Amino acid sequence: MTSSNGNNSDRDDQERTSRLDRIEAIIESNSRARIAMMEQRATDRLEHEERMRFLEENQRQIIQTQRGIANLLSSLDEDRPTIRAKINGDREQS
């Protein structure tokens, strides 16, 4: 009888070892997946920050262009001499 109990004990030990090996493999796989997700998140964050800087710079350029156009239009106002008139006036005085 001891031999059959010994066989059961060996089989139980093998099953436990096999289960532990599977659990360790799952834990390692989950760890690798978690690291990959964290790295991807960091990459995504950097790309987002880069896109935001690009958009902010474009926004600054658009604002400067709008201001330039507004200044140009205000200089073309009827009450004021236009740029062309100023240039022509300077030429006539020369």
Side-chain angles (χ1 to χ4, degrees), residues 22-91:
R22 287 190 302 242
I23 291 170
E24 287 176 355
I26 290 169
I27 290 171
E28 288 176 20
S29 175
N30 287 347
S31 294
R32 286 192 300 272
R34 185 169 184 250
I35 290 169
M37 288 171 28
M38 290 170 57
E39 288 173 350
Q40 184 61 48
R41 187 173 179 191
T43 300
D44 291 346
R45 183 176 27 248
L46 290 173
E47 289 174 353
H48 174 73
E49 289 171 1
E50 186 177 329
R51 284 191 301 269
M52 290 305 295
R53 281 192 295 273
F54 176 78
L55 291 173
E56 288 169 357
E57 179 58 30
N58 283 340
Q59 185 179 22
R60 273 190 225 94
Q61 290 175 0
I62 289 169
I63 289 170
Q64 286 176 342
T65 302
Q66 287 176 327
R67 286 179 182 155
I69 290 170
N71 289 338
L72 178 64
L73 291 174
S74 70
S75 72
L76 296 175
D77 196 358
E78 290 178 19
D79 329 25
R80 298 183 183 133
T82 64
I83 293 171
R84 177 183 240 163
K86 287 181 182 179
I87 293 172
N88 288 336
D90 288 343
R91 285 187 188 160

